[in-house]
Amino acid sequence: MSPASTLTSESRMYERTLHQILLVLRRIKCLTYCAVLITLTTLILYLVREHIADCRELYNQPQHQLSLNKHSNVELGKPGFDATVEALPPAPRERRGDRCEKRSIIFTKTHKTGSSTITNILLRYGETAGLSQLLYSYPSSTEYRSLADFKLMAGRHVADIFSQHAMYNDEFLTAHIRGNPIRFTILRSPVSQFISAYSFFNKTKHYPANTFEESIKAFLRAHSQYLTKTWFCKNCQNLVNSNAIDMGFRMEGYVKSPNREDYLSEFISAADKKWDLVLITEHFDLSLVLLKRRLCLHTEDILYLKSLERIKRDTVEEPYTLARIGEIQHIDQALYDHFNATFWREVGNEEGIMEELAEFQQLNKAVQSFCVQGSKRGYHGTYENVLAPRARDNFQCLAMNTRCLPFAQHLEARDDIAVTEEQRQELRDQDNDPDSLSYDQLVSLPKDSHLLELVYRSRLKN
């Protein structure tokens, strides 16, 4: 056989082999397409089946468990804030935790920590749960610092809940709160708390300067001997180490002590035993979920509206100034460091709390969108909420949007037996804010307004 014919035969063999390989590859490709198609079809059938099952389940559930997916734009705190609400989770599972126990409540209200939101929650909870509040005589004031019998409303000297501003007095509160109360409070990082309080309480008027930070520097220079040679601090009320003072710490005892660090350590150790729970402002929503579990509350009990955000945010930039603030806030810093650590230990012992936190934040955002339609300039240079028309006859929306002092004063006017009908009428005449709870609304509106159910239904209609 010639070389040419041999080459031709080999070429044909290679061609046949290549052809067979191509046929195999085509079959494999076809089989791959078929497998993908079968997989996709199976997945689609599974999703359709699940969707039908969900629809059947939703049909058999009460309205407040329906899932919603409409979006809404509202202004929260400041114009232009986008409160886009995505599909809501199913009705919240009321996970109470292993240490849930219905008890009376003593809340130590601290300054510029978000404590007013918690007081609002406790005032609403008292109304919906039929629990009494230990209140001051009408009309109360935020200026109260020490507790005394003569400051309390007439006709009620023992109650279920205390959540007002006062310097902590364990003997007094134990005598006036029923049963074995749970004690809790909230702390904030002392540097940011100082800056917020300095701005809110307008301390710049005492230390005028070209900038906010220069005013703080002037304040710090004026108090260079504070906590070293003196415990007196002019213009420091509600500002310097105020959280420790709210919890009963005595600055005079600290400065006069021969061993100040031991004095501080003993106070923190005693506080750790006295307060059952200390929340942290920087983790506010997580704190509320933890509080819910401790107090056996429902999700609706801890809902809140974002409000009173500063229109102009004053800041401090220089590291040296921030460090000096930390030094003058030495007592609060030690307190915060200790209880921040205990907070995370508490969280670490709570199964599923992060999932519950995500659900709560989603629901609270939807509630904000339901209740609020805009904002306006309000109290102390802040934005206040403008309620949607549908929210102005809903107790929960109105109550959540009412500042603590007027809320407490309305409760005092209703419950203080020393208040005359003339005084109540004067209060009615002052109730001219449609976005805040009035006296007549407090008295007449149903307290259990099923807010979450209304939120779900409104989304369904849209």
Side-chain angles (χ1 to χ4, degrees):
M1 183 180 293
S2 65
S5 60
T6 301
L7 182 60
T8 301
S9 175
E10 290 178 353
S11 298
R12 287 174 182 170
M13 183 180 66
Y14 290 146
E15 287 177 0
R16 285 195 299 270
T17 303
L18 181 60
H19 180 69
Q20 290 172 353
I21 292 172
L22 289 174
L23 285 176
V24 171
L25 290 175
R26 286 172 184 168
R27 288 171 184 166
I28 292 173
K29 185 176 181 182
C30 182
L31 289 173
T32 302
Y33 285 150
C34 290
V36 170
L37 182 60
I38 291 170
T39 303
L40 289 174
T41 304
T42 304
L43 179 60
I44 291 170
L45 290 174
Y46 172 78
L47 293 174
V48 168
R49 186 179 65 181
E50 289 295 309
H51 179 70
I52 292 171
D54 287 344
C55 290
R56 287 174 179 167
E57 183 181 354
L58 290 172
Y59 180 79
N60 293 322
Q61 286 179 350
Q63 285 289 326
H64 70 275
Q65 291 183 327
L66 296 179
S67 189
L68 312 170
N69 57 14
K70 294 293 182 181
H71 289 183
S72 172
N73 288 323
V74 299
E75 297 173 349
L76 300 182
K78 57 183 179 180
F81 190 95
D82 182 11
T84 301
V85 180
E86 300 176 354
L88 294 181
R93 294 167 288 171
E94 299 300 350
R95 292 168 282 199
R96 303 295 175 81
D98 296 333
R99 287 185 279 176
C100 167
E101 184 180 356
K102 286 282 186 182
R103 293 163 62 183
S104 52
I105 299 167
I106 295 175
F107 172 54
T108 305
K109 195 170 189 291
T110 48
H111 286 83
K112 303 309 295 174
T113 58
S115 63
S116 291
T117 298
I118 295 177
T119 291
N120 181 281
I121 287 171
L122 294 176
L123 293 176
R124 288 187 284 120
Y125 174 58
E127 290 298 291
T128 57
L131 301 175
S132 59
Q133 306 277 347
L134 187 66
L135 297 168
Y136 298 118
S137 58
Y138 177 82
S140 63
S141 166
T142 57
E143 297 303 315
Y144 286 129
R145 297 292 294 168
S146 60
L147 290 165
D149 284 322
F150 73 89
K151 295 180 180 179
L152 299 178
M153 69 161 60
R156 182 190 296 161
H157 278 212
V158 178
D160 301 302
I161 300 172
F162 180 75
S163 62
Q164 303 302 303
H165 269 308
M167 189 181 299
Y168 185 77
N169 183 324
D170 188 67
E171 182 179 357
F172 181 92
L173 291 171
T174 300
H176 291 81
I177 297 296
R178 293 187 180 92
N180 177 31
I182 184 171
R183 294 166 173 82
F184 77 99
T185 188
I186 184 168
L187 300 177
R188 179 179 181 179
S189 176
V191 174
S192 65
Q193 188 269 348
F194 177 95
I195 295 170
S196 176
Y198 198 90
S199 175
F200 184 82
F201 294 115
N202 195 23
K203 298 296 183 178
T204 54
K205 66 183 179 183
H206 301 297
Y207 305 92
N210 292 331
T211 66
F212 178 76
E213 184 163 348
E214 288 300 322
S215 176
I216 288 182
K217 289 179 180 179
F219 171 89
L220 294 171
R221 287 193 296 270
H223 297 88
S224 59
Q225 295 185 332
Y226 175 65
L227 294 185
T228 56
K229 296 182 179 180
T230 180
W231 61 88
F232 176 72
C233 191
K234 186 178 181 181
N235 302 317
C236 290
Q237 186 176 2
N238 305 332
L239 177 64
V240 179
N241 296 309
S242 64
N243 291 174
I245 293 171
D246 289 330
M247 294 175 72
F249 188 81
R250 294 180 63 251
M251 291 299 168
E252 180 179 359
Y254 172 78
V255 173
K256 289 183 176 180
S257 173
N259 192 324
R260 293 171 181 171
E261 291 310 304
D262 284 350
Y263 185 95
L264 176 56
S265 296
E266 289 171 6
F267 174 80
I268 293 174
S269 178
D272 190 72
K273 294 180 177 66
K274 181 63 62 180
W275 277 269
D276 301 283
L277 182 66
V278 177
L279 309 178
I280 299 297
T281 303
E282 285 74 19
H283 307 283
F284 192 75
D285 287 350
L286 181 58
S287 291
L288 291 183
V289 174
L290 185 60
L291 181 67
K292 166 185 171 290
R293 292 185 173 206
R294 288 291 184 275
L295 298 184
C296 307
L297 304 179
H298 294 280
T299 299
E300 193 156 326
D301 295 325
I302 62 170
L303 296 170
Y304 68 97
L305 298 181
K306 291 183 179 179
S307 188
L308 300 181
E309 293 186 4
R310 302 288 296 174
I311 295 173
K312 178 185 177 184
R313 289 191 175 276
D314 295 308
T315 60
V316 174
E317 302 293 340
E318 292 184 20
Y320 177 77
T321 308
L322 294 170
R324 287 285 294 114
I325 294 172
E327 290 174 7
I328 202 171
Q329 288 279 71
H330 169 64
I331 309 299
D332 272 6
Q333 188 64 58
L335 202 63
Y336 178 86
D337 290 343
H338 175 83
F339 284 110
N340 184 49
T342 66
F343 173 80
W344 287 110
R345 285 199 293 272
E346 295 280 349
V347 170
N349 292 328
E350 295 291 330
E351 182 179 354
I353 193 169
M354 291 305 177
E355 291 81 0
E356 187 175 1
L357 169 64
E359 291 177 4
F360 167 67
Q361 290 177 325
Q362 200 171 2
L363 289 169
N364 202 59
K365 194 174 184 182
V367 167
Q368 180 99 23
S369 180
F370 176 86
C371 293
V372 177
Q373 69 175 358
S375 59
K376 61 185 178 183
R377 288 179 176 268
Y379 174 73
H380 270 234
T382 59
Y383 286 112
E384 292 183 356
N385 292 324
V386 175
L387 295 182
R390 63 189 174 191
R392 287 177 173 168
D393 61 356
N394 181 283
F395 173 79
Q396 289 290 357
C397 288
L398 283 164
M400 283 191 290
N401 206 48
T402 302
R403 291 191 299 109
C404 290
L405 181 58
F407 198 161
Q409 288 177 341
H410 284 70
L411 292 171
E412 293 158 4
R414 184 192 66 185
D415 299 341
D416 192 333
I417 62 175
V419 176
T420 65
E421 190 55 42
E422 288 76 15
Q423 288 177 303
R424 293 190 179 98
Q425 187 56 51
E426 289 178 4
L427 183 59
R428 289 188 183 97
D429 294 339
Q430 297 169 10
D431 284 334
N432 53 13
D433 183 0
D435 301 310
S436 185
L437 188 69
S438 70
Y439 177 80
D440 287 334
Q441 288 170 325
L442 172 67
V443 173
S444 63
L445 284 178
K447 304 304 187 293
D448 191 0
S449 55
H450 303 288
L451 180 57
L452 285 179
E453 181 177 346
L454 294 175
V455 170
Y456 277 92
R457 286 182 175 179
S458 71
R459 297 289 176 183
L460 182 66
K461 290 179 181 178
N462 294 333

Short mmCIF file of all heavy atoms in Angstrom, two decimals, residues 192-226:
data_model
loop_
_atom_site.label_atom_id
_atom_site.label_comp_id
_atom_site.label_asym_id
_atom_site.label_seq_id
_atom_site.Cartn_x
_atom_site.Cartn_y
_atom_site.Cartn_z
N SER A 192 -20.49 60.99 73.89
CA SER A 192 -21.60 61.41 73.04
C SER A 192 -22.76 61.93 73.87
O SER A 192 -23.48 62.85 73.45
CB SER A 192 -22.06 60.24 72.15
OG SER A 192 -22.59 59.19 72.93
N GLN A 193 -22.95 61.38 75.07
CA GLN A 193 -24.01 61.87 75.95
C GLN A 193 -23.74 63.31 76.38
O GLN A 193 -24.64 64.15 76.41
CB GLN A 193 -24.12 60.95 77.18
CG GLN A 193 -25.32 61.23 78.07
CD GLN A 193 -25.02 62.22 79.18
OE1 GLN A 193 -23.86 62.56 79.43
NE2 GLN A 193 -26.05 62.72 79.82
N PHE A 194 -22.48 63.61 76.70
CA PHE A 194 -22.10 64.97 77.10
C PHE A 194 -22.36 65.95 75.96
O PHE A 194 -22.95 67.03 76.16
CB PHE A 194 -20.63 65.00 77.50
CG PHE A 194 -20.11 66.36 77.86
CD1 PHE A 194 -20.08 66.78 79.18
CD2 PHE A 194 -19.65 67.24 76.88
CE1 PHE A 194 -19.60 68.04 79.52
CE2 PHE A 194 -19.18 68.50 77.21
CZ PHE A 194 -19.15 68.90 78.53
N ILE A 195 -21.93 65.61 74.76
CA ILE A 195 -22.10 66.51 73.61
C ILE A 195 -23.58 66.76 73.33
O ILE A 195 -24.01 67.89 73.08
CB ILE A 195 -21.40 65.92 72.37
CG1 ILE A 195 -19.88 65.87 72.60
CG2 ILE A 195 -21.72 66.72 71.11
CD1 ILE A 195 -19.12 65.09 71.54
N SER A 196 -24.38 65.70 73.40
CA SER A 196 -25.81 65.84 73.18
C SER A 196 -26.46 66.71 74.24
O SER A 196 -27.25 67.61 73.93
CB SER A 196 -26.47 64.45 73.17
OG SER A 196 -27.86 64.55 73.05
N ALA A 197 -26.12 66.48 75.51
CA ALA A 197 -26.69 67.27 76.60
C ALA A 197 -26.24 68.73 76.54
O ALA A 197 -27.02 69.64 76.80
CB ALA A 197 -26.31 66.64 77.94
N TYR A 198 -24.97 68.95 76.20
CA TYR A 198 -24.45 70.32 76.12
C TYR A 198 -25.23 71.12 75.08
O TYR A 198 -25.54 72.30 75.28
CB TYR A 198 -22.97 70.27 75.75
CG TYR A 198 -22.21 71.56 76.04
CD1 TYR A 198 -21.59 71.75 77.27
CD2 TYR A 198 -22.12 72.57 75.09
CE1 TYR A 198 -20.90 72.92 77.56
CE2 TYR A 198 -21.42 73.74 75.36
CZ TYR A 198 -20.81 73.91 76.59
OH TYR A 198 -20.14 75.08 76.86
N SER A 199 -25.54 70.47 73.98
CA SER A 199 -26.32 71.13 72.93
C SER A 199 -27.78 71.29 73.34
O SER A 199 -28.36 72.38 73.23
CB SER A 199 -26.21 70.33 71.63
OG SER A 199 -27.03 70.87 70.63
N PHE A 200 -28.39 70.21 73.84
CA PHE A 200 -29.81 70.22 74.15
C PHE A 200 -30.15 71.23 75.24
O PHE A 200 -31.15 71.95 75.15
CB PHE A 200 -30.25 68.82 74.58
CG PHE A 200 -31.73 68.68 74.82
CD1 PHE A 200 -32.60 68.49 73.77
CD2 PHE A 200 -32.24 68.76 76.11
CE1 PHE A 200 -33.96 68.37 74.00
CE2 PHE A 200 -33.59 68.63 76.35
CZ PHE A 200 -34.46 68.43 75.29
N PHE A 201 -29.32 71.28 76.29
CA PHE A 201 -29.59 72.20 77.40
C PHE A 201 -28.98 73.58 77.18
O PHE A 201 -28.93 74.40 78.09
CB PHE A 201 -29.07 71.59 78.70
CG PHE A 201 -29.82 70.34 79.11
CD1 PHE A 201 -29.17 69.12 79.15
CD2 PHE A 201 -31.15 70.39 79.43
CE1 PHE A 201 -29.83 67.96 79.52
CE2 PHE A 201 -31.84 69.24 79.81
CZ PHE A 201 -31.18 68.02 79.84
N ASN A 202 -28.48 73.82 75.97
CA ASN A 202 -28.00 75.14 75.55
C ASN A 202 -26.97 75.72 76.52
O ASN A 202 -27.05 76.88 76.96
CB ASN A 202 -29.19 76.11 75.41
CG ASN A 202 -28.82 77.38 74.65
OD1 ASN A 202 -27.85 77.38 73.87
ND2 ASN A 202 -29.55 78.45 74.88
N LYS A 203 -25.96 74.90 76.84
CA LYS A 203 -24.91 75.36 77.75
C LYS A 203 -24.01 76.42 77.11
O LYS A 203 -23.25 77.08 77.81
CB LYS A 203 -24.06 74.17 78.20
CG LYS A 203 -24.83 73.09 78.96
CD LYS A 203 -25.37 73.60 80.29
CE LYS A 203 -26.05 72.48 81.07
NZ LYS A 203 -26.55 72.94 82.39
N THR A 204 -24.10 76.57 75.80
CA THR A 204 -23.28 77.60 75.13
C THR A 204 -23.62 79.01 75.61
O THR A 204 -22.78 79.91 75.51
CB THR A 204 -23.48 77.51 73.61
OG1 THR A 204 -24.88 77.61 73.30
CG2 THR A 204 -22.91 76.22 73.05
N LYS A 205 -24.82 79.18 76.14
CA LYS A 205 -25.18 80.53 76.62
C LYS A 205 -24.33 80.92 77.84
O LYS A 205 -24.13 82.11 78.11
CB LYS A 205 -26.66 80.59 76.97
CG LYS A 205 -27.08 79.73 78.14
CD LYS A 205 -28.59 79.79 78.37
CE LYS A 205 -29.00 78.90 79.55
NZ LYS A 205 -30.48 78.90 79.73
N HIS A 206 -23.85 79.92 78.59
CA HIS A 206 -22.99 80.20 79.74
C HIS A 206 -21.52 80.35 79.34
O HIS A 206 -20.74 80.96 80.07
CB HIS A 206 -23.11 79.09 80.78
CG HIS A 206 -24.51 78.88 81.30
ND1 HIS A 206 -25.19 79.85 82.01
CD2 HIS A 206 -25.35 77.81 81.20
CE1 HIS A 206 -26.39 79.39 82.33
NE2 HIS A 206 -26.51 78.16 81.86
N TYR A 207 -21.17 79.77 78.20
CA TYR A 207 -19.78 79.79 77.73
C TYR A 207 -19.77 80.17 76.24
O TYR A 207 -19.52 79.32 75.38
CB TYR A 207 -19.12 78.43 77.96
CG TYR A 207 -19.20 77.99 79.40
CD1 TYR A 207 -20.26 77.20 79.83
CD2 TYR A 207 -18.25 78.40 80.33
CE1 TYR A 207 -20.37 76.82 81.16
CE2 TYR A 207 -18.35 78.03 81.66
CZ TYR A 207 -19.41 77.24 82.08
OH TYR A 207 -19.51 76.88 83.40
N PRO A 208 -20.08 81.44 75.96
CA PRO A 208 -20.18 81.87 74.56
C PRO A 208 -18.83 81.79 73.84
O PRO A 208 -17.78 82.07 74.41
CB PRO A 208 -20.67 83.31 74.66
CG PRO A 208 -20.30 83.76 76.04
CD PRO A 208 -20.35 82.54 76.90
N ALA A 209 -18.87 81.37 72.59
CA ALA A 209 -17.67 81.25 71.77
C ALA A 209 -18.08 81.25 70.30
O ALA A 209 -19.27 81.21 69.97
CB ALA A 209 -16.91 79.97 72.12
N ASN A 210 -17.09 81.29 69.43
CA ASN A 210 -17.38 81.34 67.99
C ASN A 210 -17.97 80.04 67.46
O ASN A 210 -18.73 80.04 66.50
CB ASN A 210 -16.11 81.69 67.21
CG ASN A 210 -15.64 83.10 67.47
OD1 ASN A 210 -16.45 84.00 67.76
ND2 ASN A 210 -14.34 83.31 67.41
N THR A 211 -17.59 78.92 68.09
CA THR A 211 -18.10 77.63 67.64
C THR A 211 -18.56 76.81 68.84
O THR A 211 -18.20 77.11 70.00
CB THR A 211 -17.01 76.82 66.89
OG1 THR A 211 -15.97 76.47 67.81
CG2 THR A 211 -16.45 77.62 65.72
N PHE A 212 -19.32 75.80 68.57
CA PHE A 212 -19.81 74.88 69.60
C PHE A 212 -18.63 74.23 70.33
O PHE A 212 -18.61 74.16 71.56
CB PHE A 212 -20.71 73.82 68.96
CG PHE A 212 -21.23 72.78 69.91
CD1 PHE A 212 -22.26 73.08 70.79
CD2 PHE A 212 -20.69 71.50 69.93
CE1 PHE A 212 -22.75 72.12 71.67
CE2 PHE A 212 -21.17 70.54 70.80
CZ PHE A 212 -22.20 70.85 71.67
N GLU A 213 -17.64 73.78 69.57
CA GLU A 213 -16.50 73.11 70.20
C GLU A 213 -15.68 74.07 71.06
O GLU A 213 -15.21 73.69 72.14
CB GLU A 213 -15.61 72.46 69.14
CG GLU A 213 -14.45 71.67 69.72
CD GLU A 213 -13.81 70.72 68.72
OE1 GLU A 213 -14.39 70.49 67.64
OE2 GLU A 213 -12.72 70.19 69.03
N GLU A 214 -15.53 75.32 70.61
CA GLU A 214 -14.80 76.30 71.42
C GLU A 214 -15.53 76.58 72.73
O GLU A 214 -14.91 76.82 73.77
CB GLU A 214 -14.61 77.59 70.63
CG GLU A 214 -13.60 77.48 69.49
CD GLU A 214 -12.21 77.11 69.98
OE1 GLU A 214 -11.81 77.59 71.06
OE2 GLU A 214 -11.54 76.31 69.30
N SER A 215 -16.87 76.55 72.69
CA SER A 215 -17.64 76.73 73.92
C SER A 215 -17.38 75.59 74.90
O SER A 215 -17.22 75.82 76.10
CB SER A 215 -19.14 76.80 73.58
OG SER A 215 -19.91 76.88 74.76
N ILE A 216 -17.31 74.37 74.39
CA ILE A 216 -17.01 73.23 75.25
C ILE A 216 -15.61 73.36 75.85
O ILE A 216 -15.39 73.05 77.04
CB ILE A 216 -17.16 71.91 74.47
CG1 ILE A 216 -18.65 71.63 74.22
CG2 ILE A 216 -16.52 70.74 75.23
CD1 ILE A 216 -18.93 70.33 73.49
N LYS A 217 -14.66 73.82 75.05
CA LYS A 217 -13.30 74.02 75.58
C LYS A 217 -13.30 75.03 76.72
O LYS A 217 -12.61 74.84 77.74
CB LYS A 217 -12.37 74.51 74.47
CG LYS A 217 -12.04 73.45 73.42
CD LYS A 217 -11.14 74.05 72.35
CE LYS A 217 -10.78 73.04 71.28
NZ LYS A 217 -9.93 73.62 70.21
N ALA A 218 -14.10 76.10 76.58
CA ALA A 218 -14.20 77.09 77.65
C ALA A 218 -14.81 76.46 78.91
O ALA A 218 -14.37 76.73 80.04
CB ALA A 218 -15.04 78.27 77.18
N PHE A 219 -15.82 75.62 78.72
CA PHE A 219 -16.43 74.91 79.85
C PHE A 219 -15.39 74.03 80.55
O PHE A 219 -15.30 74.02 81.79
CB PHE A 219 -17.60 74.07 79.35
CG PHE A 219 -18.17 73.15 80.39
CD1 PHE A 219 -19.19 73.57 81.23
CD2 PHE A 219 -17.68 71.85 80.54
CE1 PHE A 219 -19.71 72.72 82.21
CE2 PHE A 219 -18.19 71.00 81.52
CZ PHE A 219 -19.20 71.44 82.34
N LEU A 220 -14.63 73.30 79.79
CA LEU A 220 -13.63 72.39 80.38
C LEU A 220 -12.55 73.16 81.13
O LEU A 220 -12.10 72.72 82.20
CB LEU A 220 -13.02 71.53 79.28
CG LEU A 220 -13.97 70.54 78.59
CD1 LEU A 220 -13.30 69.90 77.37
CD2 LEU A 220 -14.44 69.47 79.56
N ARG A 221 -12.14 74.30 80.60
CA ARG A 221 -11.15 75.12 81.31
C ARG A 221 -11.71 75.63 82.64
O ARG A 221 -10.99 75.70 83.65
CB ARG A 221 -10.72 76.30 80.43
CG ARG A 221 -9.81 75.93 79.27
CD ARG A 221 -9.18 77.17 78.65
NE ARG A 221 -10.18 78.05 78.06
CZ ARG A 221 -10.60 77.97 76.80
NH1 ARG A 221 -10.11 77.04 76.00
NH2 ARG A 221 -11.51 78.81 76.34
N ALA A 222 -12.99 75.97 82.64
CA ALA A 222 -13.61 76.51 83.86
C ALA A 222 -13.77 75.45 84.93
O ALA A 222 -13.98 75.79 86.11
CB ALA A 222 -14.96 77.12 83.52
N HIS A 223 -13.68 74.18 84.56
CA HIS A 223 -13.90 73.10 85.53
C HIS A 223 -12.68 72.18 85.60
O HIS A 223 -12.81 70.96 85.77
CB HIS A 223 -15.15 72.30 85.13
CG HIS A 223 -16.41 73.10 85.17
ND1 HIS A 223 -16.85 73.83 84.09
CD2 HIS A 223 -17.30 73.32 86.17
CE1 HIS A 223 -17.97 74.44 84.41
NE2 HIS A 223 -18.27 74.16 85.66
N SER A 224 -11.52 72.76 85.54
CA SER A 224 -10.28 71.96 85.54
C SER A 224 -10.04 71.26 86.88
O SER A 224 -9.30 70.27 86.94
CB SER A 224 -9.08 72.86 85.21
OG SER A 224 -8.96 73.91 86.17
N GLN A 225 -10.65 71.76 87.97
CA GLN A 225 -10.43 71.16 89.29
C GLN A 225 -11.58 70.23 89.71
O GLN A 225 -11.55 69.68 90.81
CB GLN A 225 -10.25 72.25 90.34
CG GLN A 225 -8.99 73.09 90.13
CD GLN A 225 -8.77 74.08 91.25
OE1 GLN A 225 -9.72 74.53 91.90
NE2 GLN A 225 -7.51 74.44 91.51
N TYR A 226 -12.55 70.05 88.83
CA TYR A 226 -13.69 69.18 89.15
C TYR A 226 -13.21 67.74 89.31
O TYR A 226 -12.44 67.22 88.49
CB TYR A 226 -14.73 69.29 88.04
CG TYR A 226 -15.90 68.35 88.19
CD1 TYR A 226 -16.78 68.47 89.25
CD2 TYR A 226 -16.12 67.34 87.25
CE1 TYR A 226 -17.86 67.62 89.38
CE2 TYR A 226 -17.20 66.48 87.38
CZ TYR A 226 -18.07 66.62 88.45
OH TYR A 226 -19.14 65.77 88.58
#
